[in-house]
Amino acid sequence: MSGGKLRQTLRRAWIVGVVLYGAFRAMIVWKTLSGYGVNPWIYLVLDVTSSIPYAIYSAKLAEGLIDRKFERFYQNFIITALTFIAPDIYILISARSAPPHIYQIIIGVILSLALVSAYGLMRKVRQGRAKK
């Protein structure tokens, strides 16, 4: 498989994986936060619809860093960051009746997932550059 076809296959697999992960997160939100005012159906729509641009732009971000093409770095980074956090912002806004420790847990999860994502991105960039 050529490099371009491999990237395309990996990009598509990444998109499918991110969307499935979004659906999984929606099930967790439904089970744990629906009693605090979070509508799991709204969350599901937000998560799945933001997952697609997140997957596309995070892949573009990684590819640009691997190829050392920085002209679209800020655009890809901003779209990636906004689509990453959008569903969680909905939770923070809509969970009005949640006790304070729930907010602390949600913010902790957001920060943890952001760190895991940043680490994963750095790992992909290092691996991609090593293959060149």
Side-chain angles (χ1 to χ4, degrees):
M1 188 179 290
S2 71
K5 288 191 183 252
L6 176 61
R7 276 194 182 186
Q8 188 176 23
T9 301
L10 290 173
R11 190 180 306 125
R12 286 184 180 149
W14 175 244
I15 292 169
V16 169
V18 168
V19 170
L20 290 175
Y21 175 70
F24 174 73
R25 285 183 5 147
M27 288 178 14
I28 292 172
V29 166
W30 174 50
K31 291 287 190 186
T32 59
L33 298 174
S34 61
Y36 296 116
V38 178
N39 183 323
W41 295 107
I42 292 173
Y43 180 82
L44 175 65
V45 169
L46 278 172
D47 205 342
V48 171
T49 57
S50 67
S51 293
I52 295 167
Y54 169 77
I56 291 168
Y57 283 91
S58 63
K60 287 182 180 186
L61 180 64
E63 290 169 1
L65 291 171
I66 289 168
D67 297 338
R68 299 181 194 274
K69 293 182 179 176
F70 303 111
E71 58 272 356
R72 298 219 184 260
F73 173 81
Y74 291 110
Q75 173 188 339
N76 293 335
F77 176 78
I78 289 169
I79 293 172
T80 298
L82 290 175
T83 55
F84 176 83
I85 200 164
D88 301 313
I89 295 297
Y90 167 72
I91 289 175
L92 292 173
I93 291 169
S94 63
R96 290 186 212 110
S97 62
H101 74 277
I102 296 293
Y103 288 103
Q104 293 167 348
I105 291 169
I106 293 167
I107 291 169
V109 168
I110 292 169
L111 294 174
S112 298
L113 291 174
L115 287 173
V116 168
S117 294
Y119 173 76
L121 175 64
M122 290 186 309
R123 201 179 87 225
K124 286 179 194 175
V125 169
R126 276 193 228 115
Q127 289 173 347
R129 286 182 178 172
K131 290 180 183 178
K132 286 189 160 203

